[in-house]
């Protein structure tokens, strides 16, 4: 009987798995593991499932959708990665697994160390000092762009500049923007632009990518070329969350190449830009709220020990809430886009060419009205002149002469109005309706 009493208690499979899971999550709560990706699966739910292996062993891994959105590269089969997470056990199958909440490319660790060392070195030399920052012209006359001629960044910049200020001249200095040969050519392009001297602002950058893709803009040769430039430089490397050494050395940092074009070009649509800014802020705020709720939910899930069915039910409720929130955001964006369209239509109605056309039409109407008024005024004057001529003719001495009368004048031209003005023998002139007579006074 004593031997039977010393035997361990009999456990069900569910009890054994639950106790094992509690032990793993308690004593291996946070771990960092490096290895090679294998058997990568990405179902429509947005979760990632894969195996992490080395030469001797492997472990199953799961990364939920709430964390995959923060991975800044696309993982591939056979790629070396560094992950952080917690050890757990899937009770239904008894599978030992790693729940991943952070993933990095294995090469990023060394690059980050080099990045921080160079950043500290240049900061001590004063290359980041605001006192050296040059003023970015509000209305530049010529823009230079140093980037890849085939990348999306140059197309974004050209599209924005054509929309905001089409007549603004652009000079493109084509360079590679990734790889070992990129940094010297970027620095050389900056020097050539300064030597040419016809650009009054430069945009240096590229589109988004991994830390390795963006590394030429973290090279010391590029940083010193930017600092030595006499032309103000805007650094536009990657996306808004990406920061490079060029961003700190440049006179101005733009979150994206498109944003750099927005900053450097004169703004004819300032209120539309403000609307877009509010839209981005709203989306960013909603994303932060979603992230906070997801993080809070994950913390609750870690503390609770739910059975499989209840866990699925909680995840389904989360998906439904996310769908409702997404619909709310989409409806809000639709309303904002509608307002943007109305504002754009109003702005089109105020275009200078339409105003010139309206003024031209009005000028033609005024010319027609002036010509018509002049014709009417001339006709009225002619009618008045005719009437005045008729009145003048009625009182004219010539009209009186036509009725048989004559006008008598002395030789000096004085009119004879009385008989005592002349004496017998004086000569007088008689003006008739037709002709004149020279007469002598007899009596």
């Amino acid at each position: 009987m004593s031997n039977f009493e010393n035997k361990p208690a009999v456990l069900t499979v569910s009890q054994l798995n639950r106790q094992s899971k509690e032990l793993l999550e308690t004593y291996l709560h946070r771990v960092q593991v490096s290895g090679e990706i294998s058997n990568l699966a990405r179902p429509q739910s947005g979760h990632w499932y894969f195996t992490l292996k080395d030469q001797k062993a492997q472990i199953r891994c799961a990364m939920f959708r709430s964390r995959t959105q923060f991975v800044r590269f696309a993982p591939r089969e056979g790629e070396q990665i560094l992950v952080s997470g917690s050890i757990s056990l899937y009770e239904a199958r008894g599978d030992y697994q790693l729940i991943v909440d952070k993933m990095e490319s294995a090469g990023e660790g060394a690059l980050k160390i080099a990045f921080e060392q160079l950043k500290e070195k240049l900061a001590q030399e004063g290359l980041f000092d605001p006192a050296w920052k040059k003023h970015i012209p509000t209305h530049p006359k010529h823009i230079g762009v140093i980037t890849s001629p085939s990348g999306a960044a140059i197309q974004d910049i050209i599209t924005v500049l054509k929309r905001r200020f089409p007549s603004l001249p652009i000079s493109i200095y084509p360079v590679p923007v990734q790889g070992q040969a990129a940094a010297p050519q970027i620095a050389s392009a900056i020097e050539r632009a300064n030597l040419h001297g016809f650009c009054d602002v430069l945009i240096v950058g590229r589109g988004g990518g991994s830390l390795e893709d963006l590394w030429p803009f973290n090279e010391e040769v590029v940083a010193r070329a930017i600092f030595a430039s006499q032309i103000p430089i805007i650094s536009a490397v990657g996306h808004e969350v990406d920061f490079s050494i060029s961003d700190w050395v440049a006179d101005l940092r733009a979150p994206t190449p498109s944003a750099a074009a927005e900053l450097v070009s004169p703004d004819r649509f300032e209120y539309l830009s403000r609307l877009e800014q509010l839209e981005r802020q709203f989306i960013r705020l909603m994303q932060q709220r979603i992230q906070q709720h997801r993080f809070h939910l994950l913390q609750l899930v870690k503390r609770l020990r739910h059975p499989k069915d209840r866990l699925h039910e909680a995840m389904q409720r989360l998906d439904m809430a996310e769908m409702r929130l997404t619909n709310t955001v989409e409806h809000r964006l639709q309303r904002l886009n509608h307002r943007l369209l109305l504002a754009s239509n109003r702005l089109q109605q105020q275009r200078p060419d339409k105003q010139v056309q309206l003024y031209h039409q009005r000028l033609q109407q005024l010319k027609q009205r002036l010509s018509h008024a002049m014709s009417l005024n001339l006709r009225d004057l002619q009618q008045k002149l005719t009437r005045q001529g008729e009145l003048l003719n009625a009182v004219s001495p010539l009209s009186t002469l036509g009725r048989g009368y004559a006008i008598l004048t002395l030789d000096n031209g004085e009119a004879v109005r009385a008989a005592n003005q002349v004496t017998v023998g004086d000569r007088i002139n008689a003006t008739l309706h037709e002709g004149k007579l020279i007469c002598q006074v007899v009596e």
Side-chain angles (χ1 to χ4, degrees), residues 20 135 139 167 185 188 237 300 315-316 333 343 361 377 386:
S20 300
H135 174 69
H139 299 283
S167 63
Q185 294 191 46
S188 176
V237 181
L300 293 176
M315 293 181 66
Q316 184 177 7
L333 290 178
Q361 293 176 354
N377 192 26
T386 301

Side-chain angles (χ1 to χ4, degrees), residues 193-206:
N194 278 267
L195 184 63
H196 295 162
F198 45 72
C199 296
D200 47 9
V201 65
L202 295 176
I203 298 176
V204 180
R206 55 155 292 159

Side-chain angles (χ1 to χ4, degrees), residues 258-294:
S258 297
E262 294 277 352
L263 290 171
V264 78
S265 58
D267 189 4
R268 294 184 298 167
F269 310 101
E270 185 174 359
Y271 61 94
L272 294 179
S273 299
R274 176 59 179 165
L275 183 61
E276 294 174 354
Q277 181 183 4
L278 292 175
E279 178 180 304
R280 290 193 298 269
Q281 291 176 353
F282 177 76
I283 294 175
R284 187 162 55 249
L285 176 61
M286 297 306 296
Q287 290 175 342
Q288 291 174 354
R289 294 290 297 275
I290 293 173
Q291 181 181 350
Q292 291 172 358
H293 287 300
R294 284 176 172 169

Side-chain angles (χ1 to χ4, degrees), residues 184-358:
Q185 294 191 46
I186 294 172
S188 176
I190 295 174
E191 295 173 358
R192 287 201 313 273
N194 278 267
L195 184 63
H196 295 162
F198 45 72
C199 296
D200 47 9
V201 65
L202 295 176
I203 298 176
V204 180
R206 55 155 292 159
S210 65
L211 183 59
E212 292 90 341
D213 294 336
L214 305 181
W215 192 251
F217 298 91
N218 294 320
E219 294 280 0
E220 184 173 357
V221 63
V222 174
R224 296 196 180 278
I226 292 175
F227 183 77
S229 173
Q230 298 300 313
I231 302 174
I233 291 181
I234 299 176
S235 176
V237 181
H239 299 304
E240 187 169 0
V241 296
D242 298 318
F243 281 88
S244 63
I245 296 295
S246 355
D247 292 336
W248 277 288
V249 182
D251 302 293
L252 182 64
R253 184 249 178 187
T256 63
S258 297
E262 294 277 352
L263 290 171
V264 78
S265 58
D267 189 4
R268 294 184 298 167
F269 310 101
E270 185 174 359
Y271 61 94
L272 294 179
S273 299
R274 176 59 179 165
L275 183 61
E276 294 174 354
Q277 181 183 4
L278 292 175
E279 178 180 304
R280 290 193 298 269
Q281 291 176 353
F282 177 76
I283 294 175
R284 187 162 55 249
L285 176 61
M286 297 306 296
Q287 290 175 342
Q288 291 174 354
R289 294 290 297 275
I290 293 173
Q291 181 181 350
Q292 291 172 358
H293 287 300
R294 284 176 172 169
F295 180 78
H296 181 65
L297 181 60
L298 288 175
Q299 294 300 318
L300 293 176
V301 170
K302 289 179 182 179
R303 291 197 298 268
L304 297 176
R305 300 296 181 263
H306 295 295
K308 177 182 176 181
D309 294 340
R310 296 189 61 185
L311 179 60
H312 285 174
E313 182 181 351
M315 293 181 66
Q316 184 177 7
R317 289 199 302 268
L318 176 62
D319 289 339
M320 294 301 295
E322 182 180 353
M323 290 173 60
R324 290 195 299 270
L325 185 58
T326 301
N327 290 335
T328 301
V329 172
E330 289 178 353
H331 291 159
R332 174 62 176 168
L333 290 178
Q334 289 176 359
R335 291 196 295 270
L336 291 175
N337 286 332
H338 180 66
R339 289 175 57 190
L340 178 64
L341 180 60
L342 292 177
S344 177
N345 291 335
R346 289 197 299 270
L347 184 62
Q348 289 294 327
Q349 294 175 0
Q350 299 298 323
R351 286 173 49 188
D353 56 346
K354 289 185 176 296
Q355 293 292 326
V356 170
Q357 184 178 1
L358 291 176

Side-chain angles (χ1 to χ4, degrees), residues 43-54:
Q44 293 183 352
S45 63
H47 309 318
W48 292 353
Y49 302 98
F50 56 94
T51 300
L52 198 62
K53 66 179 183 179
D54 58 18

Side-chain angles (χ1 to χ4, degrees), residues 115-170:
F115 177 89
E116 294 298 332
Q117 290 176 346
L118 179 59
K119 178 182 174 183
E120 182 178 358
K121 173 186 176 181
L122 298 181
Q124 291 177 354
E125 294 183 19
L127 269 68
F128 303 160
D129 193 340
W132 297 109
K133 305 296 183 185
K134 293 177 283 295
H135 174 69
I136 303 298
T138 306
H139 299 283
K141 298 180 180 179
H142 199 118
I143 294 177
V145 181
I146 299 176
T147 189
S148 170
S150 59
I154 187 61
Q155 298 301 325
D156 293 341
I157 291 173
I158 292 175
T159 299
V160 171
L161 293 179
K162 282 184 177 179
R163 172 175 56 84
R164 290 170 60 86
F165 209 85
S167 63
L168 186 61
I170 308 172

